[in-house]
Amino acid sequence: MRVRIGETRASHVGALLKKLFRWFVLLAVGLYAIWLLGLLYLRWLPPVATAVQIERRVEAMRTGQPYSKRYTFVPLGRISRDLQHAVIAAEDGRFYQHKGIDWKELRKVAEKDAEEGRLGRGASTITQQLIKNLYFTTHRSLVRKGIEFTLVPAAEYILGKNRILELYLNVIEWGPGIYGAEEAARAWYGVPAAQVNREQAARLSAIIPAPRTRKPARMNEYSAEVLERMRKMGW
């Protein structure tokens, strides 16, 4: 009798695990479908909000801090070429050469990390950063990185390089509550994104890694490095 009871319990547990696994698979497929549909939507229309923008609002509510969002989406043609080039030079120099994931840069980073015996920067491309901003938060995890890797090729195929760059420049943080190149240009320099000059562009691109703490006026060394990268890239 005890053997039969044990077998019955085992069969119930097995059935429950199978059911949970099926639900997990269905949930994963459903999420991917939503994310892919979102990319199709973004091929033509601007996002109303992003995961990072929502994250910042939730953080402000949780801590009781005031929060105001400045976000204006503009076409790529209304963002100065200097700013486009500066951001590419600063964040993803091989943007037009790779297909969403820069394996060459990843190898360099992995080799450097191995030499230093630590995990350093992630060598994320503009496409990867866009996916993170749209669908995830700023918190790092291996699970998020794995999902990100699978969505990047779809983003490259559905959106194309120019649209990816346009979306990226319009949704990333450029300061506390400041999203997009248009609001960044107006907040920091009092001009529209179309009128940002070469020096201003280099300084704006220099604050992207830490937009809530860095200020363009203080980015002397890094902006000089960005300008040198632009020169070497023929810009």
Side-chain angles (χ1 to χ4, degrees), residues 199 202-203 206 216-228:
E199 175 69 23
R203 291 181 176 274
R218 299 175 182 172
M219 295 292 102
N220 297 329
E221 291 185 13
Y222 191 20
S223 65
E225 182 181 335
V226 172
L227 288 170
E228 179 60 17

Side-chain angles (χ1 to χ4, degrees), residues 24 27-29 31-33 35-36 39 101 127-128 131-132 135-136 141-155:
F24 175 79
L27 177 62
V29 171
L31 282 173
Y32 267 94
W35 288 328
L36 291 175
L39 290 175
I101 299 172
T127 311
Q128 288 175 271
I131 292 295
K132 182 198 73 175
Y135 294 146
F136 305 104
S141 75
L142 290 176
V143 173
R144 190 213 80 191
K145 202 70 176 178
I147 297 172
E148 180 186 291
F149 266 60
T150 63
L151 287 172
V152 161

Side-chain angles (χ1 to χ4, degrees), residues 1-14:
M1 181 65 70
R2 290 180 180 175
V3 174
R4 289 182 179 178
I5 292 174
E7 290 176 350
T8 301
R9 287 179 178 172
S11 64
H12 283 319
V13 171

Side-chain angles (χ1 to χ4, degrees), residues 99-138:
K99 295 183 179 180
I101 299 172
D102 192 346
W103 298 107
K104 183 177 180 179
E105 186 65 19
L106 278 175
R107 283 194 296 271
K108 287 182 182 178
V109 171
E111 289 171 1
K112 184 176 181 181
D113 289 348
E115 289 176 2
E116 298 177 354
R118 64 179 181 85
L119 289 176
R121 63 193 180 90
S124 291
T125 64
I126 283 176
T127 311
Q128 288 175 271
Q129 293 180 53
L130 174 63
I131 292 295
K132 182 198 73 175
N133 270 269
L134 291 172
Y135 294 146
F136 305 104
T137 65
T138 57

Side-chain angles (χ1 to χ4, degrees), residues 59-72:
E59 286 175 349
M61 292 172 60
R62 187 184 301 135
T63 58
Q65 298 295 317
Y67 176 83
S68 62
K69 173 182 171 181
R70 299 175 60 177
Y71 171 50
T72 302

